[in-house]
Structure formats: structure tokens, C-alpha cells
Amino acid sequence: MNDIGLALRQALSMLVTLDPSLVGVVLLSLQVSLGAVLIAAIAGAPLGAVLAICHFPGRRPLVVIFNALMGLPPVMVGLFVYVLLSRAGPLGPLGLLFTPRAMVIAQALLVWPIVVALSRQAVEDLWIEYAEALRSLGARWWHAVPTLLWDARHALITVLLAGFGRAIAEVGAVMIVGGNIDGVTRVMTTSIALETSKGNLAFAMALGFVLLALVVLLNALAFTIRQRTMPHGT
Amino acid sequence: MERDVSLPAASHRPAPEAAQAAAPLSPPPALVLERLGYARAGQVIIDDVSVVLNGTARTLILGPNGAGKSVLMRLCHGLLVPTSGSLRWEPARPVRQAMVFQRPVVLRRSVLANVTYALHLAGVPRRRRRAQAFDALERVGLAGLASRAADLLSGGERQRLALARAWALAPEVLFLDEPTANLDPASTAAVERIAMAIHAAGTRIVMSTHNLGQARRLAGDIVFIDQGRVIEHVPAPRFFAAPGSMNARRYLEAELP
Ligand SMILES: Nc1ncnc2c1ncn2[C@@H]1O[C@H](COP(=O)(O)OP(=O)(O)O)[C@@H](O)[C@H]1O
Ligand SMILES: [Mg+2]
């Protein structure tokens, strides 16, 4: 009990004094996860919109697959990217394994199906309302996709927040492809795992607080956006 | 409550240059429906409709709820593909047309952007879009709300925006599907004035309604439709004085005072 109290006090003092190793880990976490969400957004939102409005053969199976991939276990993604990037793998020559870039790739893959599936849902809802009017104005699908993405922007922001929440909180993928190298590829979640197992509760707790605060902040933000964009009138 | 709008009668108002350039020059093309039919899931919704819409009078498609007015207009506008019969324009060429729906659809962007978006899709060069859009908004009395988010507009304002968006395209033919069905009297009057102004500027107007008063106020000719069939297509005065069919007589008699 005393140990925990002591660790807690140490954790708080690390937070207050902005302990450099703590800050470094937090910044790298943010960098990796934001990069991953950015890539997933660019590669995922337009695809989600196309899945929402274009009816081509194979669309339904794709929708089902992306929905299923939302629950992809991070360790599986880590393993997959590890195999791709390992020295013997197809992308081995790039030498990305155990770098922050590998972590970005892994998290982007993890978040991508979430962005695709949730933005498809958001765009589909809007498309039900817009379809006739846009077709009447002569819009083809390549006009409708950017239009719907822009007009669903508030919903898409909450989608990206959900993706970021998933990325920042996962351990498995970054652990495998990053290797948890001190000062190079250590992010919040992998540090917490390591420091806890080493008995360095103070550092783990300090990071835990930051992570918790971030997740709470994200959810508050998403909640606010949803509140603000309740449909007005008919 | 709706803010009333007083619209200058279009015929008295000199059209600004931008609108003039895009305004329809020739008489609007005629729409010829030949044995037009539309069925869905085995249910016949539009049944063997043969009608010619020519001349310059405003056409009102009149009929009870569920008669098939909306489906017929969607077929005419090209949003639905007929399952039998045919539909053509005379002269046969691409026709600039627009449609306003019973539930106005507004994009989640500014009022002005709603109109410039339509102009963009219509291929109007960027530098002319803003002026043309403003002009259209002015004609429906929404210029003052140009920078407002369109999804914050009232029902009546939304419908006027939909009309401005359609009008900005200077359509040769405009389909209005029960545009006042959800509006209060003041907004209804505004929409009717705008429809008349668009008509006065040379556009063929095809409008549906289940409201007899509205048909009396606006119709040049009446297409009376019931259960997917066109029962009669006659000049409005004749329709109201002496309806030629039992269905129409019954419909007229059922009118509430
Ligand atoms: N998409 C659709 N699928 C099946 N039935 C439809 C569809 N749209 C309309 N209908 C049916 O067609 C008939 C005519 O509908 P509609 O044209 O909307 O009538 P109105 O506009 O005259 O009130 C109604 O019986 C309606 O239930
Ligand atoms: Mg209808």
C-alpha cells in the first residue's frame, strides 16, 4: 500500500516537472498515432464513401469484410507488418522494422478498416437524404464522393477520433514492429507494459494518467461534436 | 413563424446580366409521354400514361395522396427509368431541367454555397458562379442569408433555397413536386410567387399538388391522376367548371371548405 502511495507521488511529480523521458514517450506516441490516423483517413474515408454510394459487384462482401476487420486484434496486425518488413520479407530492403515508421504503418493498418467502415456508415446516412437532389443536379459518383465527405465532415471527425483512440491505446502492433527500443520506439502503452513488469510503477502510472487523460479528452471532444451537430428541423 | 417575403414580379424586374446570359431563349421543349408505365416489385405504380406537355401554360399534376404524382415526375425528370412505354422531348435534344422536392434537400454548407455547388455541376465557370448565385438568392428573397448555414434555415427558407438553386440553373423545364406540402400559408404564398416568376422568365413549369386551391391559383392546364392513371388532361378552367370524369368530380366534391 505504501509502495503504491509512493509510486503515485513520484508519478505526479514526473508529470508536474515534465520529466524528459516521459515527455519523449508521450510525444512519440502522439506522433505515431496521429500519423497513422492521417494515413488511414486519406486511404479510408474516400473508400468508405465509394462503398456507401457505388453499387458494384462485390460491394456487399467488402462491406462485411471491413466491418469484421474493425475488430482486428492488434497483435495480428503487428505480426502481419512484421512479416512484411522483416529482412526476409517483401518490404525488408526498406529497413523499416523497429523504426517509428513501422509503427505508423502498423497502426494505420489497424485504424484503416475502422475509418472505412464508420465513414461508409456516415456517408450512407447522408446519401439517403442527398441522392435524388444530387442526381437531379447532374452529380456523378465522383462528384458525390467529395460532396458527401465534406458534408459529413462532423461525423467523420468523430470517426477519426475513434480511430485515434484505438491507435493510441493499442499495445500489440507497436510492440511487435517497434520492438520497444528505449528512446527510439517506445510509446506510452509499450512503456507501461515494460515498466510495470520491471516494477517501475511510478513511470508506468505517470504514463497511465496521460493516456487516460487523452482518452477522456478524445471522448469528450467526440461527444461535443455529436451534440453540436444534432439535426436541426426537418 | 415564417418571415414573409415580397417578391418583385419577375416580368417587371430587369434581369441582371449574368441571369440574362443563361436564361432560356427559345420556347421550352415539349414533353411527350407515350404509354408510359412504371412497376416495382410487381406493383404497377404508373399505368399506361400518354400525355403531351406543350404550349406555355403551367401544368399542374393533381391527384390524391398515393396517386403516383411523385413517381410520374421522377420519371419525367429522369430519376426513374420507365418499365414500359417511352418519354421524349421535342425538339429531341438535351434539355436543361431541374427539380424541387417535397422535402427540400439542402447541403450542409452555406446558403450561397448550395447554389454555387449546383452552378459548378452545371459547368458554369468559377468566376461567374458567385454573382449568378447571389442573383438567384436575391430573386427568392434569401440574399440576406447568403452566408448562413443552410441546415439552420426554416422549412420555408429551405424550400426557397431549393427554388433559387433550381432557378440559378436557368432551367428550360422545372419540376416542382408538392413544394408546399409541408409549409405554412405565408411560405406557401412565397413559393407560389417564385414559381410564377420562374414561369414568367420562360421556363416550363410542371408542378404536382393535392391541394385544389393551389391548383386553382396556378394551373394553366391540369393533369388529373388517380391510381397511377391519367384520368384527364384539360385546361384548368374546364377542369374546375366541368370535370369530365367521375373520379375528378368526386375529388372536387371532397374538397373541404
Ligand atoms: N420506391 C417505391 N417503391 C415501391 N412503391 C412505391 C415507391 N415509391 C412510391 N411507391 C408507391 O407508388 C404509389 C404512388 O406514390 P407517389 O408517386 O409517391 O404518390 P403521390 O406523390 O401522388 O402521393 C404509392 O402507392 C406508393 O406507395
Ligand atoms: Mg408525392
Side-chain angles (χ1 to χ4, degrees):
Chain A
M1 195 62 225
N2 234 353
D3 282 358
I4 295 176
L6 184 67
L8 197 60
R9 244 174 296 142
Q10 280 175 352
L12 288 177
S13 94
M14 277 174 154
L15 284 174
V16 172
T17 59
L18 292 176
D19 179 83
S21 60
L22 186 84
V23 171
V25 167
V26 171
L27 285 183
L28 182 65
S29 275
L30 290 174
Q31 227 174 318
V32 166
S33 295
L34 284 174
V37 169
L38 185 70
I39 292 171
I42 292 168
L47 179 58
V50 167
L51 282 176
I53 69 173
C54 297
H55 292 260
F56 51 89
R59 171 184 172 271
R60 266 168 188 281
L62 272 180
V63 167
V64 172
I65 288 170
F66 276 107
N67 279 340
L69 289 180
M70 282 207 288
L72 207 58
V75 282
M76 290 292 300
V77 177
L79 179 60
F80 176 69
V81 175
Y82 183 92
V83 170
L84 278 183
L85 298 183
S86 65
R87 203 169 297 160
L91 300 180
L94 297 178
L96 291 176
L97 199 59
F98 304 134
T99 66
R101 281 192 191 179
M103 298 154 78
V104 173
I105 292 170
Q107 287 198 343
L109 266 180
L110 186 72
V111 172
W112 183 55
I114 297 175
V115 174
V116 172
L118 295 183
S119 54
R120 178 196 59 80
Q121 189 59 58
V123 167
E124 213 165 81
D125 293 346
L126 198 59
W127 180 237
I128 290 170
E129 185 189 331
Y130 278 18
E132 281 201 317
L134 291 192
R135 285 177 55 212
S136 168
L137 293 173
R140 308 299 302 273
W141 68 268
W142 57 86
H143 297 120
V145 164
T147 303
L148 290 161
L149 286 175
W150 175 248
D151 282 27
R153 57 197 176 273
H154 297 296
L156 290 181
I157 289 172
T158 64
V159 169
L160 296 188
L161 288 176
F164 182 72
R166 169 98 161 140
I168 198 90
E170 71 87 21
V171 201
V174 279
M175 184 75 98
I176 294 177
V177 303
N180 205 18
I181 304 165
D182 196 6
V184 183
T185 59
R186 290 185 60 180
V187 291
M188 286 191 278
T189 52
T190 56
S191 302
I192 291 173
L194 182 74
E195 299 299 339
T196 304
S197 68
K198 285 198 321 199
N200 185 359
L201 285 187
F203 198 80
M205 275 188 188
L207 283 173
F209 285 134
V210 177
L211 192 55
L212 200 63
L214 265 172
V215 171
V216 169
L217 190 75
L218 282 178
N219 280 292
L221 215 60
F223 180 78
T224 312
I225 291 168
R226 268 197 294 277
Q227 288 284 303
R228 285 260 196 89
T229 55
M230 285 296 189
H232 307 273
T234 44
Chain B
M1 197 45 215
E2 268 310 300
R3 202 162 50 83
D4 195 6
V5 277
S6 28
L7 287 165
S11 46
H12 295 240
R13 189 172 175 284
E17 224 171 72
Q20 224 159 29
L25 302 168
S26 42
L31 179 58
V32 181
L33 312 181
E34 266 170 8
R35 312 210 57 176
L36 191 73
Y38 184 78
R40 185 153 171 165
Q43 187 203 357
V44 176
I45 298 174
I46 293 298
D47 190 6
D48 200 23
V49 166
S50 297
V51 164
V52 177
L53 301 182
N54 54 13
T56 56
R58 284 186 295 264
T59 299
L60 266 276
I61 297 178
L62 183 66
N65 279 323
K69 303 182 293 293
S70 297
V71 172
L72 181 60
M73 297 198 95
R74 280 167 170 79
L75 286 166
C76 292
H77 187 45
L79 288 174
L80 293 175
V81 180
T83 51
S84 64
S86 70
L87 161 162
R88 66 170 194 276
W89 295 98
E90 271 177 11
R93 58 172 172 79
V95 170
R96 212 162 51 237
Q97 46 174 316
M99 182 156 174
V100 169
F101 300 89
Q102 180 170 338
R103 289 167 61 93
V105 180
V106 300
L107 306 178
R108 311 270 196 289
R109 41 186 89 189
S110 76
V111 168
L112 184 71
N114 263 269
V115 185
T116 54
Y117 179 80
L119 292 170
H120 165 62
L121 287 180
V124 174
R126 184 182 293 273
R127 66 198 146 74
R128 298 214 329 246
R129 284 178 213 153
R130 212 183 138 82
Q132 281 190 29
F134 248 115
D135 183 61
L137 289 175
E138 211 159 72
R139 281 177 277 163
V140 304
L142 283 182
L145 300 180
S147 56
R148 177 86 57 93
D151 50 329
L152 297 179
L153 297 180
S154 73
E157 288 164 344
R158 279 169 170 243
Q159 197 55 291
R160 271 150 58 203
L161 172 56
L163 283 159
R165 197 168 54 197
W167 200 357
L169 302 171
E172 298 168 279
V173 181
L174 175 61
F175 295 99
L176 300 154
D177 187 16
E178 300 208 43
T180 64
N182 302 323
L183 303 185
D184 65 19
S187 300
T188 298
V191 166
E192 289 182 3
R193 275 198 301 272
I194 293 165
M196 286 194 254
I198 297 175
H199 177 250
T203 297
R204 172 177 304 292
I205 299 287
V206 182
M207 175 165 162
S208 70
T209 185
H210 64 263
N211 181 316
L212 281 170
Q214 184 164 59
R216 282 207 169 86
R217 288 191 294 276
L218 294 179
D221 55 331
I222 297 267
V223 174
F224 181 72
I225 171 173
D226 196 8
Q227 292 177 8
R229 298 178 145 270
V230 167
I231 309 295
E232 43 188 315
H233 178 203
V234 293
R238 175 132 53 97
F239 179 83
F240 290 112
S245 62
M246 265 314 281
N247 309 41
R249 254 196 303 280
R250 240 181 275 127
Y251 189 66
L252 286 173
E253 277 162 12
E255 184 181 25
L256 299 171

